[in-house]
Amino acid sequence: MAAPKGIGLPGTILGIGLGGFVDGILLHQLLQWHHMLSSTDTDRIGVRYYPVDTVPGLRMNTVWDGLFHTVTWLAVLAGIGLLYSRVTASRGRVWRSRALWGWILSGWGLFNLVEGVIDHHLLGIHHVRTGPYQLAWDLGFLALGVVLVAGGWALRRGADTLDLCQAPR
């Protein structure tokens, strides 16, 4: 019989999706600091500029924000589905475990690192906050990612081993 699979992958995917939701809801919608294509006037790949202070520009940015939210929603669904398929006993104990929340924090940090490096630095299609301190905001986003990954690792490190699957009958 194969060994039971752990909660690392589902927790990480769940964290990526939840981290994307925090980014999209907080930075795109509530604070309105940026949208997916809000810096395409200075990007590195030649995407057409869609200014957020015009109706057509805001419409296009909203579509791309919606696509971003769809991907993060699918990541959350995939993470929950994987977790459910791997944990057949003590589900309540798993949701309360430091191990799962450590993986989720690490996934959120991984989201920040990958999205920050690709979208902010390599492609330049948007930045955390444009303006005179743009680089500082972008680097702060990456630093938060490092802190989340390290915090998740520390939380998992002290976690008890979980009995993830029911014993065969």
Side-chain angles (χ1 to χ4, degrees), residues 10-62:
T12 301
I13 292 173
L14 192 53
I16 289 169
L18 292 172
F21 273 146
V22 170
D23 178 278
I25 293 168
L26 182 64
L27 301 180
H28 296 217
Q29 294 175 330
L30 294 176
L31 297 175
Q32 298 180 19
W33 284 0
H34 69 261
H35 297 281
M36 284 305 296
L37 303 177
S38 58
S39 293
T40 53
D41 58 332
T42 59
D43 71 336
R44 293 180 178 81
I45 57 173
V47 175
R48 181 175 166 208
Y49 180 47
Y50 298 100
V52 296
D53 58 352
T54 67
V55 173
L58 189 54
R59 288 180 78 181
M60 184 58 76
N61 273 285
T62 302

Side-chain angles (χ1 to χ4, degrees), residues 30-148:
L30 294 176
L31 297 175
Q32 298 180 19
W33 284 0
H34 69 261
H35 297 281
M36 284 305 296
L37 303 177
S38 58
S39 293
T40 53
D41 58 332
T42 59
D43 71 336
R44 293 180 178 81
I45 57 173
V47 175
R48 181 175 166 208
Y49 180 47
Y50 298 100
V52 296
D53 58 352
T54 67
V55 173
L58 189 54
R59 288 180 78 181
M60 184 58 76
N61 273 285
T62 302
V63 167
W64 279 92
D65 285 352
L67 292 171
F68 170 74
H69 279 104
T70 300
V71 170
T72 60
W73 179 69
L74 290 172
V76 168
L77 287 181
I80 290 172
L82 278 171
L83 186 63
Y84 185 83
S85 73
R86 292 183 179 192
V87 179
T88 59
S90 304
R91 286 193 174 111
R93 187 171 149 215
V94 172
W95 280 106
R96 293 185 305 270
S97 76
R98 292 174 57 163
L100 176 61
W101 291 101
W103 283 113
I104 289 173
L105 279 179
S106 293
W108 180 0
L110 183 63
F111 165 83
N112 277 26
L113 293 170
V114 171
E115 195 271 339
V117 167
I118 292 173
D119 290 343
H120 305 167
H121 297 283
L122 295 178
L123 302 178
I125 59 174
H126 70 255
H127 300 279
V128 174
R129 189 159 189 182
T130 57
Y133 301 106
Q134 176 175 296
L135 181 60
W137 283 104
D138 288 347
L139 293 175
F141 190 79
L142 293 176
L144 176 60
V146 170
V147 167
L148 289 167

